[in-house]
Amino acid sequence: MILLVYALGLPAAAAWFLLRTAWPGGGAAGVPRALPACLAGGLGLGLASCYHFLWYPVFGPPGAGFVAFELLLVGAAVAGWRRWAADAPPPPADPPTWTRRLWLPFAAVAVLAFRYLVGFYLREPHGDWDAYAIWNLRARFLYRAADDWRDTFSPIIWHADYPLLLPAGVARLWLYAGEEATVVPFVLAVVMVGLTAGVLVSGLNLLRGGGQGWLAGTALLCSYTYVYTARLQYADIPLGFFVLATAVAFALHDRAGRAGWFFPALAGAMAGLAAWTKNEGQLLLVAAVLARAVVAARDRAWAAAAREFAWFAAGLAPAGAALLVFKAGFAPPNDLVAGQSASTLDRLADLARHEQIARRFAGEVWEVAPYMVAVLGAYALLVGRPPAGRRGPGVLTPALIVALMTAGYYLVYLTTPHDLTWHLGTSSLRLLAQLWPLALFTLFLGTASLDEAGGRVSPHPRTGRPH
Amino acid sequence: MRWRVRAAVLALAVGFVVWVDTLLDMTADWWPPPNHVSGPARHDEFVSKAAARDGFPKRGVVGYRDDLFGRDPAKHGEHNALRFLFQYTLSPLLLDKDGEHDKTLVLTGKGFHLERAKPEEGR
């Protein structure tokens, strides 16, 4: 267990040193505590899975040399650490209200959700169907196959074209653990749930304050599909983390007046890791670029957008390189792409398919969080928008990313060569669960906090530039 | 405005309580009974022991034939589930359900065994 904690913490610590050093405002303004730590956890684990995979074609199966390399990486991160940047000062002085205790329901539901996940793990330690048919299976291949590691990508294996963040991440942790402990994929799943909740809570507390983060985090862990999906040991939860982290980085960039390179590069790194997690993550690259292009067109800020896209592409490079090597060198053809033909046009024009997908999506928006969808809708209607002077970064980017990715999923179902009923039934709820953290971020970013709605705070600008 | 805030808090509180009740029920439903061993875990242990005992190859490719469920379209789900479980346990040995190979893992109503192609068949 100590080695597992060490293996989880090593890349996260290296990423944390990097983020802490490069975070804008590392001087007088200080660096927030919780958000960089949560972002670093996902970033470090994601990048570790990239270089763990790249180790195979370059040096062969990882061993002692790989462990030494990781130690060197942390050493380099520490050496590049300029100085301990001051912690950010607390947010502007809102009057103390009861909303500061909103961490209590979050903590309570986090404990209960963890207990539920532990119970399912004890019942099904190998995870659910796709865990042993796809994700943990491929981790076993990478860990066990030694010099035959290329067999991991044999078309005999189901969905061998799926990207490798999760299998390579699990295989890397097994390398440190020295055995194929089933607890490893479970711990990784729980860590990713925790990091997602952490980014949601700390991101919104930083951007909006007033307990919005705690409310959003509580709503996340009160979402049936999200908690259900977390138990499966699939890649949907890690993908949800990277989708959310991409949007949070863009929101921080907006909050900083769209100046500097750091946040667009961070958004690019997170989007790249989303693409390295699942094929759906590659849709995020398109959605993020389109969303930011719309924001740039609205504000007629094309020069700033060009710089932003350049840094986004630079941040994309590490995970993009791993994905490129995998897709160009090893992955068999994707079934959804290979299955397209002249009949694709017929599927596109088939109104019955449109109706079936639309009905399914509409029904599953409710299913993703029964009761909570109604509760959150009522909450948004009752509290309304924040006062003009207290609005944080705009909701346009995250809202567009949610909409564009949903539209992309719709198109994939419309053109799928598989039986549509089967395809929808086996995946659509999980796809919506991937977007649920970002949907909650969008909702709580764009609504007034309880303090604001109650007129308990002054209408002064809290977070800088409104958009 | 205060009534709106109170109503919003009430809505959140109701949603929270309903969810906690649901989550407690879900936890109770899924908490394993004493001495529970999951199906995949039992399969994993049993098949890996049998494969070691019977000298199954540890890597490469063998065929896979399901004489138990494979011929019944209505049992497609069971066929797939068992194939994935065998693949999961025996990896990195690849189980090819389509090609012809020197050795084939055959699943029958009595269990499973490794069938070797007869030389005269030229396989």
Side-chain angles (χ1 to χ4, degrees):
Chain A
M1 187 53 86
I2 291 172
L3 285 172
L4 178 58
V5 172
Y6 171 79
L8 282 166
L10 198 70
W16 185 77
F17 279 120
L18 285 176
L19 290 189
R20 183 93 193 181
T21 299
W23 196 278
V31 176
R33 282 184 188 174
L35 182 57
C38 294
L39 291 170
L43 183 67
L45 289 171
L47 291 177
S49 86
C50 292
Y51 59 70
H52 184 263
F53 161 69
L54 290 172
W55 194 272
Y56 284 89
V58 177
F59 300 111
F66 177 80
V67 174
F69 167 76
E70 287 215 303
L71 275 175
L72 277 176
L73 269 187
V74 177
V78 174
W81 185 30
R82 290 197 298 268
R83 61 191 158 70
W84 180 267
D87 288 331
D94 286 344
T97 70
W98 65 275
T99 56
R100 293 192 175 186
R101 294 192 177 85
L102 283 173
W103 65 269
L104 281 167
F106 172 80
V109 79
V111 169
L112 292 176
F114 179 71
R115 187 166 165 268
Y116 167 71
L117 294 177
V118 168
F120 187 81
Y121 167 71
L122 293 174
R123 190 179 184 106
E124 295 293 344
H126 294 274
D128 216 311
W129 177 286
D130 280 7
Y132 50 80
I134 301 175
W135 305 108
N136 292 340
L137 168 71
R138 300 169 77 212
R140 278 191 168 186
F141 265 86
L142 286 172
Y143 182 70
R144 291 179 177 180
D147 292 336
D148 297 323
W149 57 271
R150 285 180 176 80
D151 286 349
T152 310
F153 317 113
S154 166
I156 291 173
I157 295 178
W158 204 37
H159 292 312
D161 66 295
Y162 281 9
L164 288 165
L165 182 136
L166 193 55
V170 169
R172 176 184 161 276
L173 293 174
W174 279 341
L175 177 69
Y176 279 92
E179 59 173 329
E180 285 176 25
T182 55
V183 76
V184 165
F186 167 71
V187 167
L188 196 54
V190 172
V191 164
M192 292 311 295
V193 172
L195 291 173
T196 306
V199 167
L200 190 60
V201 170
S202 57
L204 281 166
N205 280 347
L206 180 69
L207 291 163
R208 290 284 296 112
Q212 290 290 84
W214 296 120
L215 286 180
T218 307
L220 179 73
L221 298 180
C222 287
S223 305
Y224 169 76
T225 297
Y226 190 78
V227 178
Y228 174 89
T229 304
R231 75 184 201 179
L232 304 175
Q233 301 182 18
Y234 293 2
D236 303 280
I237 298 297
L239 178 58
F241 170 87
F242 292 114
V243 171
L244 172 68
T246 302
V248 170
F250 278 130
L252 291 167
H253 187 53
D254 286 345
R255 178 176 179 256
R258 294 180 202 159
W261 60 272
F262 177 76
F263 290 124
L266 181 62
M270 294 299 188
L273 289 171
W276 178 236
T277 306
K278 285 196 88 179
N279 285 336
E280 297 96 292
Q282 290 146 38
L283 192 58
L284 174 67
L285 300 180
V286 179
V289 169
L290 282 176
R292 295 306 286 177
V294 169
V295 171
R298 183 196 63 180
D299 298 343
R300 298 180 183 175
W302 290 110
R307 285 193 299 275
E308 184 180 303
F309 287 140
W311 284 114
F312 182 81
L316 196 63
L323 186 66
L324 196 65
V325 168
F326 169 62
K327 288 287 186 184
F330 301 102
N334 175 262
D335 56 334
L336 298 180
V337 175
Q340 302 305 325
S341 62
S343 63
T344 302
L345 290 175
D346 296 334
R347 291 196 286 270
L348 283 168
D350 187 344
L351 289 178
R353 291 174 73 88
H354 283 274
E355 184 188 354
Q356 185 178 356
I357 299 165
R359 280 180 182 274
R360 182 87 189 192
F361 274 28
E364 287 186 346
V365 168
W366 173 262
E367 281 292 316
V368 78
Y371 314 113
M372 285 310 288
V373 170
V375 165
L376 293 173
Y379 171 83
L381 286 173
L382 288 163
V383 298
R385 296 191 70 195
R390 294 181 60 87
R391 283 176 196 159
V395 297
L396 187 57
T397 299
L400 277 174
I401 291 175
V402 171
L404 288 167
M405 288 195 70
T406 306
Y409 293 163
Y410 185 96
L411 190 63
V412 168
Y413 283 123
L414 199 55
T415 57
T416 180
H418 300 299
D419 175 69
L420 180 57
T421 304
W422 170 83
H423 204 171
L424 279 166
T426 53
S427 60
S428 61
L429 200 55
R430 285 186 291 111
L431 297 193
L432 294 184
Q434 295 165 6
L435 300 179
W436 188 239
L438 179 57
L440 289 173
F441 176 75
T442 310
L443 178 79
F444 284 92
L445 191 67
T447 51
S449 69
L450 292 168
D451 288 340
E452 289 166 344
R456 287 173 178 268
V457 292
S458 66
H460 64 74
R462 186 182 182 283
T463 52
R465 289 170 57 118
H467 292 280
Chain B
M1 289 296 281
R2 283 214 170 159
W3 73 267
R4 286 185 173 223
V5 174
R6 285 177 183 158
V9 171
L10 182 65
L12 291 175
V14 168
F16 181 79
V17 170
V18 169
W19 169 252
V20 166
D21 183 52
T22 306
L23 188 55
L24 288 173
D25 284 348
M26 285 165 63
T27 305
D29 288 346
W30 283 99
W31 200 268
N35 304 318
H36 168 83
V37 180
S38 81
R42 194 182 302 120
H43 183 276
D44 201 39
E45 186 182 351
F46 176 75
V47 172
S48 55
K49 278 183 184 167
R53 185 188 62 224
D54 297 345
F56 278 31
K58 290 198 163 95
R59 51 198 73 236
V61 188
V62 299
Y64 180 82
R65 196 174 77 236
D66 180 357
D67 290 343
L68 179 60
F69 297 124
R71 290 167 188 166
D72 184 356
K75 299 284 185 183
H76 190 64
E78 290 89 336
H79 163 72
N80 272 344
L82 275 172
R83 184 162 70 88
F84 293 141
L85 280 172
F86 273 106
Q87 181 63 83
Y88 178 64
T89 297
L90 297 174
S91 62
L93 179 67
L94 288 159
L95 305 180
D96 184 7
K97 70 181 175 66
D98 297 321
E100 292 192 352
H101 301 276
D102 292 338
K103 295 170 185 168
T104 298
L105 178 66
V106 181
L107 179 65
T108 66
K110 293 178 181 172
F112 66 95
H113 63 274
L114 200 61
E115 183 179 275
R116 286 166 173 82
K118 293 170 187 163
E120 59 271 22
E121 288 176 348
R123 292 166 73 183

